[in-house]
Structures are given as structure tokens and as C-alpha cells.
Amino acid sequence: VLFSGSSKKIISKFYSFELLEVCIHRVRSCSSIRFIKSKYVCVFDKSAFKFSHQQRLFRTSAVSCGQIVQFKLSDIGEGITEVTVKEWYIKEGDSVSQFDSICEVQSDKASVTITSRYDGIIRKLHYNLDEIAYVGKPLVDIEIDASKGVAPEEDVVETPPMSHEEHTHQEIKGHKTLATPAVRRLAMENNIKLSEVVGTGKDNRILKEDILNYLAKQTGAILPPSPKAEIIPPLPKSETVPAAPKDKARKIPVPVSRPIVFSGKDKTEPITGFHKAMVKTMSAALKIPHFGYCDEIDLTQLVQLREELKPLAQIRGVKLSFMPFFIKAASLGLLQYPILNASLDESCQNVTYKASHNIGVAMDTEQGLIVPNVKNVQVCSVFEIASELNRLQSLGSAGQLGTNDLTGGTFTLSNIGTIGGTYAKPVILPPEVAIGALGKIQVLPRFNGKGEVFKAQIMNVSWSADHRIIDGATMARFSNLWKSYLENPASMLLDLK
């Protein structure tokens, strides 16, 4: 018990000096006492005194007292020093637990979800949406329990006590809840505690359907069944599929409708995100002496094979495109010509031959050009490559590709034909030494061995290579081998592992 010197009473029993310091700190942290002179503050044993009615005793109650931790943006690797805040999953006053998602940031390489290190209450957001956040600078202020201690590298500021009634947001405690940021946001918007939802995903992960079903049970609403991939078994030979009309009207490209703004003023915007990465990468690529090589591929047999395999892949839940065949054929070719799966150091003194075939696929997204890669293609089947491509394309469309998906590539294919065009001049993606651009597949007349004209499915390919370590003959031989695998798909069976 503490009291001021105004009572001018002599105290006969003292505790240790360490206890005195603790008591003084406790008094200063309480809102009931504004100012205390430490030389008049004493500690006494109430059993040693008898108080008269004139004596005034200062009584303190147990008040919640926390500390503000400035949660700094830690280093996310790859030499990244700044990121753009794309989305906040919390707001000021919300309660968070360890591993809860705080925000999503985007660097010039990937999108990253930042999670909390503490259990506490959000007191301040240091950035608005689309603002630049810097590594090592405070991201949010979190009020934590002072009794639990704080990491020494964090900045701590004392905060006035807060009543329990002011904690209005849900708290998830006791275990780590597995859920994507989108699911957490859906739960937060509907004021649902994730700890009360039973997850049906892998490792009890909470899915969007789990949130909707929980919400339906609480409100009594009847939700429509969640859409599932329709399983289409292969058609019996007796049944025929109606053929498409032969004279199909040529598709006319429709311009993208955007509101026309006549402001009369020029507008300047900073280069951020993936566009900033493109500036850096292409500036480095211009230092590489490129040379090109082009050829055409007859994909008639591959088109027929894919049509036969599409229903089987769809039954297994995978969309089968031509790209998995292109990637696997490239990997088989890289086994014979490993110099194309190498990298050259900055001083041009050493060549590193990469053991893994991490083949990148250029994708056009709303965020710009990104190049995720399929890891270890040399040990993957065509179906496994297709499954991984489906995953990368889904994440790329949602802007949720991680750093691991976008780094470590050793060879790249760019399918420009999905948009249009037959030839391109691809630019090497450093530190790689080769890249291929695939044109669109066209139905064109060609001659067979007997001199007869037949309808062929033709695709053009354009290769670019680093002329410092790769010569034209090597590129041509690799292209011829890659071409033979695609023109005779059955030949790949001899080299598949």
C-alpha cells in the first residue's frame, strides 16, 4: 500500500529498495494518481500501524496496463527494401493473435502476407492502402500484455489503461487457425470467430465454404450448393460429338471499354510492383548479347493426343493444355544440352550448370508480366506439370503468387500465342541464358512425303540465347530435338523417367 508524504506519518518498517521501485512504477502506471514525489513514497506493513480517521490511505485497484509494440516490417528476402501495402486484414481496435494475417504487401517480386508475432490489440496503422512501406520501419502498433515481455529489438511505449469493454473484436486463442487471408477477411466482415468454425480442408484448414455454411446455420439462410468441377467421362466410341461448323467466322478483337477522361493535364505515376521489377530485369538483360533462332512445328499429332487425354485429365480435376507438353519436351532437351540450363556469373568467368529444371512460364496478369516456374520438371510427369500449372495460373490471376513460385527459374517459355502473333523476339530473363516464345497454332496447308497437300496444325517458335556461352549450332540442335518430341509425341515415352 502506498501513500503520499502529506500525511507526515513516521513509518517504522520498510521493505527492500527493489520492491519500492516496483511499487513506484505501479503507481505511475495507474490513472488514479497523477504525480508523486518519490522521496515521499514509502512502503509499510499495515500490521505495524493503527490509523485514525484523519489518516487518508491511497488504495489502488488492479487496472489493465499494456505496452505498445511497434511491429516493424521485417526483411522478406531477395534484397527487397520496400513494398506496397495492397490490403489490410485488420483495423485499429481489432484483437490479433500470433500468426493472424495483418496485411498483404506486394514487392517487385511477389505478394507476401504479413502475420502477427504477438497477441494483442491493434492501436495504429502506419500506412494507408497503396502506400510504400519500408523494411525495418514500423508497420503497426500493437498493445500487448506487459507481463509477457517484449523482444528487445522492438520499440515499446507505455499506454494508458483500457477497460475490457473496449475490446470489441474477436480473439482467436488456444491454437493456430489455418485459413487464407481471403477467408479470414470474410470471417471478420461477418463477425465470425474462426475458432468456432470446423475446417474441412487439408490439416483442418478453414475454407470459404466452411464460413458460408457456418453463417447459414447462424442465420437460418439456405445457401445454394457450392459449385464443383463437373466430371465428364470419356465418350463411348459409338457416340459422336457434333463437329463445329467448318466456315467459322473470324473472331474480331473487341476493344476493352475504358472510360475516356479528358482532363487536359498530364498524369505522372510512380513505377511500382511487378512493373518496377521489369524495369530492373530488362535493364540487366540489355547487357546480354542476344541472338535469335526461329522454326515452325507441326503439332498435328500432338493436337490429336491432347484431345484424347483431356477428358481423362478432367476426371482427375486438371485442365490439360499444350503447355505441359512443351515444358516436358524442353526438359528432355535440356538433359542433352545442359548449357541451356545454366547461368553465367557477373564477371563472365564461371558457368554454373543447374541440376534442377525449373522452367518458367510467362503470364500476363492485371499486375503486369510475371514469370512463375514449375520446379524440378526433370522428375515430373506431364500430368504433374499440368496440375502445377493450374495452381500457378490460379494464384497468378488472384495476385497471390509467393516468392518461391517466382524465383529460382533456370529456363523460360513464353506462350505469346494465347494473345496473338506468330513470331516474337523474347528477351532473356537473367541469370538465365535462354528463352523461347511460342506463337499461336494455325491450320495451314503443308505437303506430306508423297507430295500431297494436307491440313496441318502449325506453330512457330522463336528462341533467344546468350551468345557469350551459347552458339547458334547448339541452339539449333536443341530446337530440333524439342521439335521432334512435339511432332512425334510417342517418342517422348522412350526418354520419360
Side-chain angles (χ1 to χ4, degrees):
V1 181
L2 300 174
F3 65 96
S4 69
S6 61
S7 59
K8 299 181 181 180
K9 298 295 181 180
I10 300 175
I11 301 174
S12 61
K13 187 175 181 180
F14 291 87
Y15 288 113
S16 65
F17 182 72
E18 290 80 1
L19 181 58
L20 179 62
E21 287 184 329
V22 173
C23 295
I24 293 173
H25 177 76
R26 184 63 178 174
V27 171
R28 285 176 175 174
S29 65
C30 298
S31 59
S32 59
I33 299 178
R34 299 295 181 185
F35 180 78
I36 297 177
K37 293 183 179 180
S38 59
K39 66 179 181 178
Y40 293 123
V41 177
C42 301
V43 183
F44 68 95
D45 186 354
K46 65 179 181 179
S47 62
F49 295 90
K50 292 182 179 179
F51 296 97
S52 61
H53 64 278
Q54 291 91 355
Q55 292 174 335
R56 189 85 177 171
L57 190 64
F58 285 85
R59 179 171 299 179
T60 62
S61 58
V63 182
S64 174
C65 178
Q67 292 179 330
I68 295 293
V69 174
Q70 290 189 331
F71 179 57
K72 298 178 180 179
L73 178 63
S74 59
D75 185 8
I76 57 180
E78 300 294 329
I80 296 171
T81 59
E82 61 182 41
V83 295
T84 303
V85 179
K86 303 303 294 183
E87 185 174 5
W88 286 106
Y89 300 120
I90 45 86
K91 59 182 181 296
E92 293 182 3
D94 286 355
S95 297
V96 294
S97 301
Q98 294 187 43
F99 307 109
D100 280 358
S101 298
I102 292 180
C103 65
E104 181 179 349
V105 299
Q106 185 181 73
S107 68
D108 56 356
K109 298 182 183 294
S111 296
V112 180
T113 300
I114 306 299
T115 58
S116 174
R117 290 179 53 193
Y118 306 102
D119 297 335
I121 304 170
I122 301 298
R123 289 303 177 205
K124 181 180 180 181
L125 307 181
H126 285 269
Y127 301 97
N128 296 322
L129 292 179
D130 296 325
E131 287 188 347
I132 303 298
Y134 297 93
V135 172
K137 299 296 183 180
L139 189 63
V140 295
D141 289 353
I142 304 178
E143 180 185 351
I144 66 171
D145 188 352
S147 62
K148 295 183 178 180
V150 185
E153 66 272 12
E154 303 291 353
D155 298 329
V156 181
V157 183
E158 289 190 9
T159 181
M162 173 170 290
S163 63
H164 179 72
E165 288 74 12
E166 297 182 38
H167 300 175
T168 58
H169 189 64
Q170 61 178 352
E171 296 187 14
I172 305 171
K173 296 183 178 180
H175 66 282
K176 179 181 177 181
T177 305
L178 297 178
T180 63
V183 172
R184 293 182 182 275
R185 183 175 183 179
L186 179 62
M188 182 180 67
E189 290 175 349
N190 291 278
N191 199 25
I192 297 175
K193 295 183 179 180
L194 290 179
S195 57
E196 298 178 356
V197 181
V198 178
T200 59
K202 183 179 179 181
D203 298 328
N204 296 325
R205 182 180 295 273
I206 298 177
L207 307 177
K208 179 181 178 181
E209 291 77 9
D210 301 329
I211 298 294
L212 296 178
N213 291 333
Y214 180 86
L215 186 62
K217 293 179 181 178
Q218 298 297 318
T219 60
I222 300 177
L223 297 178
S226 58
K228 296 183 179 179
E230 183 180 358
I231 298 177
I232 304 177
L235 295 175
K237 294 183 178 180
S238 59
E239 298 183 12
T240 58
V241 180
K246 295 182 179 180
D247 299 331
K248 185 182 294 185
R250 178 177 295 180
K251 294 182 179 179
I252 301 176
V254 179
V256 179
S257 59
R258 292 189 177 92
I260 301 176
V261 179
F262 296 97
S263 61
K265 297 181 180 179
D266 296 339
K267 183 174 66 172
T268 302
E269 294 181 349
I271 299 177
T272 59
F274 294 128
H275 294 285
K276 191 172 184 179
M278 186 185 299
V279 171
K280 180 179 179 181
T281 303
M282 293 299 101
S283 298
L286 287 179
K287 301 177 182 179
I288 300 174
H290 287 58
F291 81 90
Y293 178 84
C294 301
D295 200 357
E296 72 171 30
I297 319 294
D298 184 358
L299 298 180
T300 303
Q301 293 187 35
L302 182 61
V303 170
Q304 295 175 356
L305 177 63
R306 173 178 171 266
E307 288 301 318
E308 296 175 2
L309 297 179
K310 276 178 62 178
L312 299 177
Q314 190 170 5
I315 291 175
R316 299 166 69 176
V318 173
K319 180 181 178 181
L320 182 63
S321 64
F322 289 106
M323 186 56 73
F325 297 97
F326 299 153
I327 292 175
K328 188 60 182 181
S331 178
L332 294 175
L334 293 176
L335 292 174
Q336 302 298 322
Y337 300 95
I339 188 63
L340 299 176
N341 195 59
S343 63
L344 185 65
D345 63 1
E346 294 182 359
S347 60
C348 300
Q349 299 296 318
N350 300 288
V351 177
T352 302
Y353 294 87
K354 303 293 185 178
S356 299
H357 296 174
N358 300 337
I359 299 182
V361 180
M363 294 182 181
D364 178 44
T365 67
E366 294 182 358
Q367 292 80 25
L369 176 66
I370 56 176
V371 189
N373 58 83
V374 181
K375 299 289 194 296
N376 298 310
V377 177
Q378 75 279 4
V379 295
C380 293
S381 65
V382 172
F383 177 80
E384 291 171 337
I385 297 171
S387 178
E388 178 65 4
L389 277 178
N390 286 184
R391 184 187 71 86
L392 294 175
Q393 288 167 349
S394 299
L395 294 177
S397 301
Q400 296 179 351
L401 285 169
T403 304
N404 183 58
D405 296 324
L406 294 169
T407 57
T410 60
F411 186 87
T412 298
L413 292 176
S414 177
N415 190 7
I416 193 65
T418 57
I419 301 175
T422 54
Y423 288 96
K425 186 179 179 181
V427 181
I428 297 172
L429 185 64
E432 300 172 16
V433 295
I435 185 175
L438 313 175
K440 63 181 179 181
I441 300 176
Q442 305 177 88
V443 179
L444 298 173
R446 290 295 183 267
F447 290 94
N448 59 18
K450 298 179 181 180
E452 300 170 342
V453 178
F454 71 99
K455 184 174 64 175
Q457 303 275 353
I458 300 299
M459 181 190 74
N460 295 293
V461 61
S462 304
W463 302 102
S464 291
D466 188 339
H467 215 339
R468 295 174 297 182
I469 59 173
I470 299 173
D471 54 68
T474 301
M475 190 76 253
R477 293 188 181 99
F478 167 81
S479 181
N480 289 338
L481 180 58
W482 181 77
K483 174 180 178 178
S484 67
Y485 284 133
L486 297 178
E487 291 187 340
N488 302 283
S491 64
M492 285 196 290
L493 295 175
L494 297 176
D495 296 321
L496 290 178
K497 297 180 180 179

